[in-house]
Amino acid sequence: MTAHAISVQGVSKIYPGGVHALDGVSIDVRPGEWVAIMGPSGSGKTTLLSILNGLDKPTSGRIQVLGTDTHGFGPDDWAVFRRENIGLVFQQFHLIPYLTAVENVMLAQYYHSMPVREQALAALERVQLAGRGHHLPSQLSGGEQQRVCIARALINDPKIVLADEPTGNLDEENEARVLELFRALHGEGKTLVVVTHDPEIGCAGERIISLSHGKVSKDSATAAGARLATVGGPPGSSGDPCATSAHA
Ligand code: ADP
Ligand code: MG
């Protein structure tokens, strides 16, 4: 049986206080697939991503990542698993304010293996921030800070990149740069799961999963995904939210 990159099986999450943030969610993501998670505020997107990276636990249901059943994982197992396999990009940048851009990237490297300044600088170059390594976060624009975060997420060469509203705080130009980076990562075969409000970001991927009140309300290939689908893969895209905004 071929392993999915991510397999979510009947996952529910009830927060203390009784909020049903996720209610029986099942999703399989192929290796190398680029999936967008969309849905209104409060529909459970961040909760799902937090469960996928082990920062939160489901109340019930199972998660397999890269063929590994994470059921018995404790925080330390997750920490090891994350640093070997997962890159995280948040809407809030979470950069250490008194460390420079390159030091922020090296800090992530430190958790992974050994900080190597040259590698951290190369990661910054990759996100078009060569020459800005010695700047503090406060000396960088929001778009540049987000790209430092992406460099930081990529430093361990993760197989899976999880991003929560990565362009939520960005202007159009920086949004386009982040989209370009995602395209490049997808081209390298990384699995991307991107939570977004932005149909343009969502439609750039292969598949959009919509959440509503903690349930999957829709799961369909985008026009781009339908083109890429292998023979016997998912059929077209009726009601494709991208149909009007797709660029030929
Ligand atoms: P989204 O990212 O789609 O906006 P969230 O996953 O953040 O949605 O939230 C889903 C639901 O769970 C919301 O009703 C939210 O208020 C609730 N929720 C999120 N985090 C917590 C928490 N730590 N404690 C209690 N309720 C929470
Ligand atoms: Mg959210």
Side-chain angles (χ1 to χ4, degrees), residues 13-22 37-50 56 164-165 195 197 211 214:
K13 175 70 184 182
I14 305 172
Y15 284 111
V19 177
H20 282 62
L22 295 175
I37 310 282
M38 300 188 75
S41 186
S43 57
K45 305 181 298 296
T46 294
T47 300
L48 177 61
L49 225 57
S50 303
D56 208 342
D164 195 355
E165 313 248 11
V195 168
H197 272 114
L211 290 185

Side-chain angles (χ1 to χ4, degrees), residues 23-41:
D23 187 1
V25 168
S26 295
I27 294 169
D28 288 328
V29 178
R30 292 189 278 107
E33 194 171 21
W34 179 357
V35 177
I37 310 282
M38 300 188 75
S41 186

Side-chain angles (χ1 to χ4, degrees), residues 45-120:
K45 305 181 298 296
T46 294
T47 300
L48 177 61
L49 225 57
S50 303
I51 286 175
L52 288 181
N53 67 46
L55 296 178
D56 208 342
K57 273 196 166 303
T59 308
S60 58
R62 294 253 172 160
I63 314 280
Q64 283 174 300
V65 187
L66 299 168
T68 300
D69 190 336
T70 62
H71 190 64
F73 272 23
D76 292 348
D77 304 308
W78 267 113
V80 171
F81 191 79
R82 260 198 308 275
R83 76 180 180 225
E84 286 175 356
N85 299 298
I86 297 177
L88 295 173
V89 180
F90 302 96
Q91 178 174 11
Q92 265 72 38
F93 306 136
H94 300 303
L95 294 172
I96 309 286
Y98 52 84
L99 296 181
T100 64
V102 72
E103 287 165 350
N104 266 283
V105 176
M106 288 169 72
L107 183 65
Q109 217 179 4
Y110 167 78
Y111 289 112
H112 170 54
S113 53
M114 284 258 293
V116 180
R117 182 170 285 265
E118 284 66 35
Q119 283 175 9

Side-chain angles (χ1 to χ4, degrees), residues 66-228:
L66 299 168
T68 300
D69 190 336
T70 62
H71 190 64
F73 272 23
D76 292 348
D77 304 308
W78 267 113
V80 171
F81 191 79
R82 260 198 308 275
R83 76 180 180 225
E84 286 175 356
N85 299 298
I86 297 177
L88 295 173
V89 180
F90 302 96
Q91 178 174 11
Q92 265 72 38
F93 306 136
H94 300 303
L95 294 172
I96 309 286
Y98 52 84
L99 296 181
T100 64
V102 72
E103 287 165 350
N104 266 283
V105 176
M106 288 169 72
L107 183 65
Q109 217 179 4
Y110 167 78
Y111 289 112
H112 170 54
S113 53
M114 284 258 293
V116 180
R117 182 170 285 265
E118 284 66 35
Q119 283 175 9
L121 286 169
L124 287 173
E125 196 172 335
R126 164 117 216 239
V127 298
Q128 298 173 310
L129 286 175
R132 307 304 295 275
H134 59 289
H135 285 75
L136 293 170
S138 60
Q139 298 169 316
L140 299 170
S141 72
E144 288 165 343
Q145 289 182 57
Q146 184 59 298
R147 280 182 280 142
V148 174
C149 295
I150 295 176
R152 183 181 59 183
L154 297 179
I155 196 69
N156 58 345
D157 193 24
K159 296 178 194 72
I160 297 176
V161 175
L162 304 176
D164 195 355
E165 313 248 11
T167 61
N169 285 328
L170 303 185
D171 58 26
E172 270 184 41
E173 185 190 334
N174 282 295
E175 181 179 301
R177 283 172 189 259
V178 168
L179 198 50
E180 267 322 299
L181 272 164
F182 285 158
R183 288 208 172 90
L185 296 173
H186 178 58
E188 288 170 18
K190 293 195 191 302
T191 303
L192 302 180
V193 179
V194 181
V195 168
T196 183
H197 272 114
D198 186 337
E200 197 171 333
I201 302 286
C203 294
E206 296 166 86
R207 175 177 166 203
I208 297 178
I209 296 168
S210 301
L211 290 185
S212 174
H213 301 291
K215 293 183 201 277
V216 174
S217 58
K218 195 154 177 248
D219 182 346
S220 58
T222 63
R227 274 198 300 278
L228 290 170

